[in-house]
Amino acid sequence: MSTVWIIALIAVVVVLLVAVFLVAGPGKGGGGRGLKRRFGPEYDRVVAHHDGDTKAAERELEARVKRHGSLEPRPLTPEIREQYVARWAGVQEQFVDSPQRAVAEADRLLARLAADRGFPADNQYDEQVSALSVHHADKVQGYRRVHRAAHTENSSTEQMREAMLDARELFETLVTAKPADSGKHRPQHAEERHGRAQAPWSLGKGHHPKGSGA
């Protein structure tokens, strides 16, 4: 075989290898590194769920990306965003007197908000979580916690409080991510509208009212 043919063959092989890498993407072509970078703590959670089987975990995560990676979240109108902010503030006020009802309402509110943002419908919890984990991997665990607390009768008040705090991070991300209108319509919290110095959306420990120093 002539030198020219050898060089041509090597060039073809290189092109094919590059094409395979581009098709596979960083999650596959780079082993688990791309998936670990993308999913962060969610990667470790899925590996633990599969009893340490990283290959099985990566297959699950790759399937999530394939199903939901191209999803483009829909923006909220400023009016709808304000409504969600007000309803979340109401849920947190309700927590003081009825933690169980509050976490149940927070669970439903997150489901509806995610659906309004273009994620799977609010009656498809598993698919919602799967899609949210692709786009908000560092915050989706809060949704799981509040959903579990809402459907567990023996959750302690402290467990429900912590679940609400974790869920709030995802709520804030979903309600304030606004590709259509930037920051000019940032929703005001009730405390800001009334000029209060108290930090917005705070939850006191246990059943203590906000501002009581608990």
Side-chain angles (χ1 to χ4, degrees), residues 97-172:
D97 297 317
S98 182
Q100 189 66 56
R101 283 209 301 262
V103 295
E105 181 57 27
D107 179 44
R108 289 190 291 267
L109 194 59
L110 268 177
R112 285 194 291 269
L113 174 57
D116 279 351
R117 291 304 313 275
F119 291 93
D122 52 358
N123 62 350
Q124 300 177 26
Y125 169 75
D126 290 337
E127 278 302 292
Q128 266 199 349
V129 169
S130 177
L132 286 166
S133 74
V134 172
H135 296 269
H136 302 290
D138 58 334
K139 296 180 176 66
V140 70
Q141 187 62 11
Y143 186 14
R144 290 193 184 100
R145 291 193 68 183
V146 83
H147 184 79
R148 185 164 56 247
H151 293 82
T152 302
E153 294 183 359
N154 61 350
S155 295
S156 69
T157 300
E158 181 61 17
Q159 287 172 329
M160 290 186 284
R161 187 188 74 87
E162 291 176 356
M164 285 282 289
L165 290 173
D166 280 353
R168 185 186 68 187
E169 293 187 15
L170 177 61
F171 173 84
E172 289 178 343

Side-chain angles (χ1 to χ4, degrees), residues 79-99:
E79 293 77 13
I80 295 298
R81 186 178 301 121
E82 287 282 357
Q83 290 174 20
Y84 272 112
V85 169
R87 291 173 69 182
W88 186 268
V91 167
Q92 293 200 148
E93 292 288 347
Q94 184 183 35
F95 185 89
V96 175
D97 297 317
S98 182

Side-chain angles (χ1 to χ4, degrees), residues 5 7 9 21 59 153:
W5 278 107
I7 293 173
L9 182 60
F21 177 81
R59 284 195 296 270
E153 294 183 359

